[in-house]
């Protein structure tokens, strides 16, 4: 004893275990003095970001504004750039690239961090509005992988754009502000659901049943059909100047109206819609702003359409990232493919956090845990590693050495047991360009639900890790 404290020396076995065993720790034990408070402050800003930005268009527009405030200017392919110059490329208002030119020539490649800003949701169909038994509703087509029953009986808000037949465009954001009306998909009461309850979980609520209740009062006191629908169109015409055919050229999304909030008595967690993948996008954006004098050119991508396979001209199956690299390479008299071959990328996407309520779907030795830091995921895919990027060991070693050296709390993880499912990220599309890529992101509980949960310390470690990668 020394005073009232028992001093216990480690046994030789304990000392050897510390040296040889892999044992990721809770981030609270690895944080430096004051870092937990810094993480909480960082996450306060992240919560504000989540409440402002619930769609890919809103994220891209908001980040573009922030980028300009931080000295970024639109990229000019014919321009000339010096180390430290900051440019951005706006891809159709749904995806964005931030670039800071490095001290080294692009011959040494770029440092790329790529995340996605689309999330599962309910999209309105092209001809959505109808009336049935004096109720007005919208027809929807769900976007991304969802459990359909989770989207019933929760408050929803309407976001998006409508391009009117006269060529003008109106932005829609309704259901977020105090006093706004909100919307809902109704569900069947338990007293009458005997047949519904016999269905599999996948079919408890069918896709065509995800109809949004939007009104119930008729226009005036006239007698006739579709008067509730008429009243809704009158209100929409007054507010947005649209007619029904304008829905044909609209992109309207129903998303949860929940606000992002602290979770837990200790406020250590954040509950919100859209953590997948804005919980990686936001730290990567902040890292891009913080990396003011990088050694190598940094390219931070926030992209669209990942939840449906990265398709379309705003997803990473398209050529916009490859073309951007070719354009910045040309400003230095280089070939884009040579720059890509020398480049490195963190595919910044989430992993499934271990949930003690559902342990059977995880291999505990290879699961990701909340509060154990950012997750390095060597491969994703399904079963036999189908449709995945499997990162090279040499690059994984480089990343772990970087994180250890910069005191970034990190862990490794798979997306569930081998035959339980799996998933995908943008990693394989960037790897197809010849870039070294590994997935790195934040563990999430209730992924793809309307209300997901992450740990604040993991969010901050994502920022710290992305910043270290971009700067070094």
């Amino acid at each position: 004893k020394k005073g009232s404290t028992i001093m216990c020396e480690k046994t030789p076995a304990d000392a050897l275990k510390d040296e040889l065993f892999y044992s990721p720790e809770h981030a609270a034990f690895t944080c430096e003095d004051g870092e937990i408070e810094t993480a909480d402050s960082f996450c306060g800003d992240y919560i504000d970001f989540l409440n402002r930005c619930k769609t890919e268009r809103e994220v891209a527009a908001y980040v573009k504004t922030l980028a300009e405030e931080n000295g970024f200017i639109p990229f000019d392919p014919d321009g000339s750039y010096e180390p430290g110059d900051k440019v951005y490329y706006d891809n159709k208002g749904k995806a964005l690239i931030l670039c800071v030119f490095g001290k080294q020539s692009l011959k040494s490649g770029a440092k790329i961090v790529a995340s996605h800003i689309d999330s599962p949701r309910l999209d309105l169909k092209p001809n959505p509005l109808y009336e049935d038994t004096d109720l007005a509703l919208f027809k929807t087509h769900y976007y991304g992988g969802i459990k359909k029953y989770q989207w019933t009986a929760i408050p929803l808000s309407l976001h998006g754009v409508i391009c009117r037949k006269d060529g003008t465009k109106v932005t829609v954001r309704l259901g977020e502000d105090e006093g706004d009306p909100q919307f809902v998909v109704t569900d069947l009461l338990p007293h009458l659901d005997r047949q519904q309850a016999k269905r599999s979980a996948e079919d408890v609520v069918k896709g065509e049943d995800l109809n949004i209740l939007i009104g119930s009062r008729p226009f005036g006191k006239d007698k006739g059909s579709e008067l509730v629908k008429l009243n809704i169109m009158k209100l929409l015409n007054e507010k947005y100047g649209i007619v029904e055919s304008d829905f044909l050229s609209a992109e309207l999304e129903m998303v949860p109206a929940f606000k992002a909030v602290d979770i837990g008595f200790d406020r250590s967690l954040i509950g919100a819609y859209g953590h997948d993948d804005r919980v990686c996008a936001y730290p990567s954006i902040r890292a891009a702003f913080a990396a003011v004098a990088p050694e190598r050119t940094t390219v931070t991508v926030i992209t669209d359409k990942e939840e449906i396979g990265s398709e379309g001209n705003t997803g990473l199956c398209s050529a916009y990232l490859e073309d951007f690299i070719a354009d910045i390479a040309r400003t230095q008299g280089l070939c884009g493919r040579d720059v890509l071959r020398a480049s490195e990328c963190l595919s910044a996407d989430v992993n499934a956090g271990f949930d003690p309520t559902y342990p059977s779907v995880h291999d505990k030795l290879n699961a990701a845990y909340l509060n154990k830091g950012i997750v390095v995921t060597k491969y994703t895919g399904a079963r036999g590693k189908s449709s995945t990027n499997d990162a090279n060991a040499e690059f994984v070693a480089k990343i772990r050495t970087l994180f250890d050296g910069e005191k970034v709390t990190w862990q490794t993880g798979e997306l569930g047991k081998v035959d339980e499912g799996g998933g995908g990220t943008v990693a394989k599309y960037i790897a197809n360009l010849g870039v070294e890529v590994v997935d790195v992101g934040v563990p999430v509980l209730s992924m793809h639900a309307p209300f997901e949960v992450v740990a604040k310390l993991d969010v901050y470690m994502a920022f710290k890790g992305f910043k270290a990668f971009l700067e070094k």
Side-chain angles (χ1 to χ4, degrees), residues 318-382:
S318 74
Y320 80 90
L321 174 59
E322 183 179 9
D323 289 345
F324 179 81
I325 297 294
D327 286 342
I328 62 173
R330 193 165 56 249
T331 67
Q332 297 185 11
L334 301 172
C335 178
R337 65 171 177 264
D338 293 331
V339 174
L340 285 166
R341 289 167 182 160
S343 294
E344 298 171 339
C345 174
L346 299 185
S347 168
D349 208 342
V350 297
N351 202 321
F354 180 84
D355 190 333
T357 304
Y358 306 102
S360 64
V361 298
H362 293 279
D363 168 9
K364 282 190 172 183
L365 287 175
N366 292 283
Y369 295 85
L370 267 64
N371 283 304
K372 292 193 176 181
I374 197 167
V375 187
V376 176
T377 306
K378 189 176 186 296
Y379 51 83
T380 55

Side-chain angles (χ1 to χ4, degrees), residues 47 54 61 66 167-168 234 260 286 309 438 466:
I47 286 173
K54 289 193 172 181
L66 289 181
T168 59
K234 174 179 176 292
R286 288 283 300 269
V438 67
F466 298 152

Side-chain angles (χ1 to χ4, degrees), residues 417-462:
K417 285 183 177 178
V418 173
D419 287 330
E420 286 291 345
T425 68
V426 300
K428 63 180 181 179
Y429 307 114
I430 299 175
N432 287 345
L433 301 176
V435 180
E436 288 279 19
V437 188
V438 67
D439 281 295
V440 178
V442 174
V444 179
L445 296 181
S446 303
M447 191 193 298
H448 281 215
F451 195 75
E452 302 168 316
V453 177
V454 299
K456 291 181 178 179
L457 293 179
D458 297 333
V459 179
Y460 180 70
M461 288 302 163

Side-chain angles (χ1 to χ4, degrees), residues 139-157:
K139 298 291 295 181
T140 70
H141 193 133
Y142 62 91
Y143 173 99
I146 67 170
K147 292 183 175 181
K148 295 185 282 291
Y149 64 80
Q150 292 180 331
W151 288 75
T152 65
I154 62 171
L156 300 170
S157 56

